[in-house]
Amino acid sequence: MSSNPILLTAIHDVSPRFANEVDILFDRLAPSAGSDHIAMLVVPDFWGIAPLSKSPSFRRSLQNWSDQGVEIFLHGWHHRADQVPQSRFDRFRGNFLTAGEGEFLAMDRARAAKKMRDGRKLIEDITGSPVSGFIAPAWLYGAGAHEALAEVGFVLAEDHMHVWNPVSGETLATGPVVTWASRSAMRTASSLAFASVAPAILSRSSVARIAVHPGDVSKPSILSSIDHCISRLGRQGRLHARYSDLLPVTQGLAA
């Protein structure tokens, strides 16, 4: 990894459901980051209504992005929870941190591993290239998901505060991911407030992370904040980088 501090940029919820929004976000980020320094988090069948298998045009887009060097991550399967967590803490996380989208929060190891393997195969069959890693919807993992990550062999994963290698257990980066919320006026206001101070908070961190979502394009204030935050992080001397740059050069992407 470079001795310079770096910036990782990711587009979440990449799906035929949000084809237009993903195009807008990619076109906005690529001029400064370069397509080979953008990660896309792909959902195989968003909410069960947008399967990749039934969208040949989006599959072609996904292959094109991969050919341009975009890092492709698996981002759950449905991006929607269909189980209620047993623990009170996990129920709180699932209700407070996301609108019922903590898909892997209550999932057991066997089911999580199957979804991870199936999702990885689906995407790799489309792109012809290895999936870089797995990032759970809403960055929420239960015990079963953590166990499955190592079993399946993903070497890159992240949550709100960390990037790590599930196979080795090594923490690769720490610090809060900067993201925005469009779901309500209050959440938008709080995310804009955090984004305004995040560059200062992250000024001594070797790795900064930006995560954007399709809903961000619905609010000009969020798009402006994204631009401003990336610009300020760039003025810290950060280089745009890939998640895989955090790994040793001899480390493969997946087992």
Side-chain angles (χ1 to χ4, degrees), residues 114-186:
K114 184 178 188 311
K115 284 185 176 287
M116 290 176 187
R117 289 192 175 99
D118 289 350
R120 182 171 66 187
K121 183 179 187 306
L122 174 66
I123 295 171
E124 291 180 352
D125 284 348
I126 293 170
T127 64
S129 299
V131 166
S132 293
F134 177 89
I135 298 173
W139 293 287
L140 292 174
Y141 304 77
H146 278 291
E147 294 167 359
L149 281 168
E151 175 187 330
V152 174
F154 285 114
V155 295
L156 284 169
E158 74 167 6
D159 59 20
H160 283 96
M161 291 297 298
H162 308 90
V163 182
W164 75 96
N165 180 338
V167 174
S168 69
E170 180 185 4
T171 297
L172 304 172
T174 60
V177 62
V178 186
T179 191
W180 289 262
S182 59
R183 187 153 43 101
S184 69
M186 182 177 295

